[in-house]
Amino acid sequence: MLIKKNVKRLLLYRLCLVKFREMGFKRVYSYNLGHEAGVSAEQIRKDFSHFKITGNKKGGYDIESVLEKLNYIFRKNELQKVIIVGMGNIGRALSHYECGFTVRRQYIVAGFDIDPVKIKKTYNVPVYDMRSMDEYIRTNNIQVAIMAVPSISAQEVCTILVDAGIKGIMNFSPVLLQVPENVIVNNINLCDELEIVIYTAVNSNSINEAMIDNLTRD
Amino acid sequence: MLIKKNVKRLLLYRLCLVKFREMGFKRVYSYNLGHEAGVSAEQIRKDFSHFKITGNKKGGYDIESVLEKLNYIFRKNELQKVIIVGMGNIGRALSHYECGFTVRRQYIVAGFDIDPVKIKKTYNVPVYDMRSMDEYIRTNNIQVAIMAVPSISAQEVCTILVDAGIKGIMNFSPVLLQVPENVIVNNINLCDELEIVIYTAVNSNSINEAMIDNLTRD
DNA sequence: ATTATAATGTTCAAAAAATCACATTAAATA
DNA sequence: TATTTAATGTGATTTTTTGAACATTATAAT
């Protein structure tokens, strides 16, 4: 999990840097960025150093060149083709989520579903029959898929994806998918994420007695 | 961040326990649960111990009673009222996301938007004018909100929420919200999450030379 | 009833991550 | 040009997290 944590922070830094750039800044110091991102200045420098992103001993970091480096790291020069499996509420929402995905050169190229009502319709992207998914993945050399299917069919769909050659899955079903070592899964459990908010928000007022003593936070 | 990490694991365990229960099991051992959740058995026992969830020295953990304890910890007995601000793609998808939210007794009670087209329409929940949001929050004593508004208006909306008394925000805008100490924010950046998948999946094949040496994984 | 077994729960050790401290060096100043 | 300053980058230290080891105890077997 080391990479994931670092990578997540790096993406957070990118978000902040873009904001600074929009504000007209050309350079930032580690503590500016740290303050904005909510991490320590040392952490920033360590992370940058780790990914061989260098600054200037007096003048901090050049925003543009750090962003370029980040784009290089995240292969932003290459257009990443991504498919969505399951065009339910979440799937359809993501297919319209241009503001984020297309700006970043992640590109949703197709959706798949088993529901004949959804197939052929175009929710911003063409939606095909799931039976043709395997072929589509192979011919278009798709490596990454977003899964937003019902829990009951999640593992089955996952297996099809993996067999077709998918290497990364962003999974919205509350199911822990069984995949080979070389396939990575990022589970997004929206309920859990909301639960965390509720838990923390509610308990920050009146501590639940089940929680007791030694719970530090942040 | 200690709580959040623990809580996240606890929610993961719950997911697994529900699955085991559905499969007809009555009891689990720490290593069963660990295997399913992808964590070590010791970690399970540590986490349980930390939250005063106890098992049986020989017979492992009684699934039903652990789930009950978890429900108590997460206050599942109380119905949590949640509002959605911003009825765009994501907001609307979440308003229909019953399978998760309602089963868990989290309850989306209302949506808010500034777009007159969306107001009055009912996307599974009633949608009101954002100008009435402050009043709604106060009269209904809402503590938690989901924000799915455009980045440009995120901070403004956030401030309204906080002033109205919101204590927890699940934020889908790629913006780091400024909030007082006592308000907690859970940022869900779907682009970043997809980026992580792409990054890891693509780099697991052909390592990017920018990444170099010392990147361990998992 | 006694013994053996197999799980928990906790203490102790190792690993990882974050923070601190400082040596280094680019820029500003005199 | 020399000196001061203020930032980076990295080695050392501390803290946190994870993993291993083991003592404890409920159950099963004899």
Side-chain angles (χ1 to χ4, degrees), chain A:
Chain A
M1 201 81 140
L2 192 140
I3 262 194
K4 191 172 165 187
K5 215 169 177 184
N6 281 355
V7 166
K8 208 161 188 174
R9 271 205 303 266
L10 234 50
L11 289 165
L12 176 63
Y13 302 158
R14 188 164 69 138
L15 180 63
C16 299
L17 288 170
V18 168
K19 182 178 169 183
F20 282 132
R21 184 175 58 181
E22 279 170 5
M23 290 166 79
F25 290 103
K26 295 278 176 242
R27 311 189 66 79
V28 275
Y29 302 129
S30 55
Y31 54 83
N32 301 137
L33 188 51
H35 183 262
E36 181 66 22
V39 306
S40 71
E42 295 86 352
Q43 183 78 78
I44 303 268
R45 298 204 298 271
K46 265 267 164 70
D47 285 335
F48 278 6
S49 158
H50 187 229
F51 284 88
K52 300 274 189 284
I53 294 171
T54 59
N56 187 306
K57 276 281 197 287
K58 189 77 178 288
Y61 299 89
D62 178 67
I63 291 174
E64 201 55 46
S65 70
V66 173
L67 282 171
E68 254 171 48
K69 194 75 186 280
L70 288 172
N71 283 344
Y72 175 67
I73 290 170
F74 292 109
R75 295 166 171 261
K76 289 288 106 188
N77 42 331
E78 304 164 30
L79 189 72
Q80 284 300 337
K81 287 180 288 184
V82 176
I83 58 169
I84 300 177
V85 193
M87 296 304 282
N89 298 312
I90 299 288
R92 289 201 306 275
L94 295 175
S95 75
H96 287 95
Y97 200 44
E98 309 177 33
C99 60
F101 291 145
T102 59
V103 166
R104 288 175 166 219
R105 301 184 66 72
Q106 294 155 357
Y107 192 55
I108 312 285
V109 289
F112 293 90
D113 208 293
I114 42 162
D115 183 354
V117 176
K118 286 176 189 131
I119 300 167
K120 290 268 166 59
K121 274 192 182 164
T122 294
Y123 298 107
N124 207 43
V125 295
V127 178
Y128 304 116
D129 190 319
M130 212 182 282
R131 279 167 293 191
S132 68
M133 189 167 69
D134 181 279
E135 196 197 328
Y136 186 96
I137 292 169
R138 290 177 200 277
T139 48
N140 294 280
N141 195 32
I142 309 292
Q143 292 189 76
V144 174
I146 298 171
M147 272 182 59
V149 302
S151 299
I152 189 76
S153 51
Q155 185 56 57
E156 190 187 343
V157 167
C158 172
T159 305
I160 296 171
L161 290 172
V162 169
D163 289 346
I166 289 290
K167 293 292 170 233
I169 297 170
M170 181 169 172
N171 171 42
F172 283 88
S173 308
V175 169
L176 297 175
L177 302 169
Q178 304 292 321
V179 293
E181 282 262 330
N182 64 325
V183 175
I184 81 111
V185 176
N186 191 6
N187 291 303
I188 312 290
N189 191 324
L190 296 175
C191 290
D192 282 0
E193 297 295 341
L194 179 59
E195 197 99 66
I196 288 167
V197 177
I198 294 172
Y199 174 85
T200 318
V202 172
N203 284 320
S204 68
N205 305 331
S206 57
I207 291 291
N208 189 329
E209 56 278 39
M211 301 295 85
I212 343 134
D213 351 290
N214 48 358
L215 295 185
T216 39
R217 187 143 57 77
D218 263 35

Side-chain angles (χ1 to χ4, degrees), chain B residues 2 5 9 40 42-43 46 56-58:
Chain B
L2 191 142
K5 213 168 176 184
R9 272 205 303 266
S40 71
E42 294 85 354
Q43 183 79 76
K46 265 264 173 71
N56 188 307
K57 276 280 197 289
K58 189 79 177 285

Side-chain angles (χ1 to χ4, degrees), chain B residues 94-157:
Chain B
L94 294 174
S95 75
H96 287 96
Y97 201 45
E98 307 177 35
C99 61
F101 291 145
T102 60
V103 165
R104 290 174 164 220
R105 300 184 68 72
Q106 293 156 357
Y107 191 56
I108 312 284
V109 289
F112 293 90
D113 209 294
I114 43 161
D115 183 354
V117 176
K118 286 173 190 133
I119 299 165
K120 290 269 166 57
K121 274 194 182 165
T122 294
Y123 299 108
N124 206 44
V125 296
V127 178
Y128 304 115
D129 190 319
M130 212 183 281
R131 279 167 293 191
S132 67
M133 189 167 69
D134 181 280
E135 197 196 328
Y136 186 97
I137 292 169
R138 290 177 199 274
T139 48
N140 294 281
N141 196 31
I142 309 291
Q143 292 190 75
V144 174
I146 297 171
M147 272 182 60
V149 301
S151 299
I152 189 75
S153 51
Q155 184 58 56
E156 191 187 343
V157 167

